[in-house]
Amino acid sequence: MHSECMGKWSPSDDAELATGWRLWLELSDRVWPDPSWDGTPADAIRQVRALLAVCEEIRLSYLAETSRPSVALLQLLQSMSFVASFAVDLWHDDTHPLDVERAELLHGDLASFADHVAGVRAALAQGGGWVELDRRPWGLPVD
């Protein structure tokens, strides 16, 4: 899902801006397995699940801070668990080492989620006014 499919988000107050910024930062590098990955799908999904837990914490904190929550921001937050749900449900309890075929399937699921995360980050950066932070002068990709 690309950022243009996600609609426009523009913060209406400081709480919404801070929440968008926090979400943008959290989404910067938490999709792919970290160096502690044990090579199983369940452990690869561990990081996605941790990211989803942070998204839920951000959502609850935001709802506690504001009396008029932004539907657009809540939709961005909720889209994370919706898009990740298939991969999480499929892989969360798979503790068998990967073979080539399963590795390709897992990679495809993580790549789909990474594409969604990139779209959410782009929507947040556009609305928050920090698009330039996603541009790296040395030409390296953001995610």
Side-chain angles (χ1 to χ4, degrees), residues 24 28 121 131-143:
W24 184 81
S28 66
R121 288 189 84 236
V131 171
E132 67 280 354
L133 296 177
D134 264 342
R135 296 193 182 114
R136 305 254 173 116
W138 52 88
L140 295 175
V142 174
D143 289 297

Side-chain angles (χ1 to χ4, degrees), residues 97-115:
L98 288 169
D99 56 33
V100 173
E101 182 179 329
R102 289 172 53 251
E104 289 175 1
L105 293 171
L106 176 62
H107 183 269
D109 289 343
L110 291 175
S112 292
F113 183 60
D115 286 346

Side-chain angles (χ1 to χ4, degrees), residues 21-139:
W21 176 250
R22 181 173 175 212
L23 179 59
W24 184 81
L25 289 172
E26 290 290 349
L27 297 179
S28 66
D29 66 353
R30 298 187 51 176
V31 175
W32 299 100
D34 62 25
S36 70
W37 180 45
D38 71 4
T40 66
D43 199 47
I45 292 298
R46 169 185 53 86
Q47 195 155 330
V48 172
R49 293 173 82 183
L51 177 58
L52 296 178
V54 168
C55 288
E56 180 62 7
E57 177 195 322
I58 291 170
R59 186 183 73 80
L60 292 174
S61 295
Y62 173 61
L63 289 173
E65 288 178 37
T66 185
S67 58
R68 295 178 40 216
S70 160
V71 171
L73 183 56
L74 291 175
Q75 286 175 340
L76 288 172
L77 280 159
Q78 291 166 336
S79 75
M80 298 298 297
S81 60
F82 177 75
V83 171
S85 64
F86 174 75
V88 169
D89 289 347
L90 183 64
W91 299 108
H92 78 280
D93 61 353
D94 186 339
T95 57
H96 301 289
L98 288 169
D99 56 33
V100 173
E101 182 179 329
R102 289 172 53 251
E104 289 175 1
L105 293 171
L106 176 62
H107 183 269
D109 289 343
L110 291 175
S112 292
F113 183 60
D115 286 346
H116 180 74
V117 167
V120 170
R121 288 189 84 236
L124 290 168
Q126 178 94 25
W130 55 80
V131 171
E132 67 280 354
L133 296 177
D134 264 342
R135 296 193 182 114
R136 305 254 173 116
W138 52 88

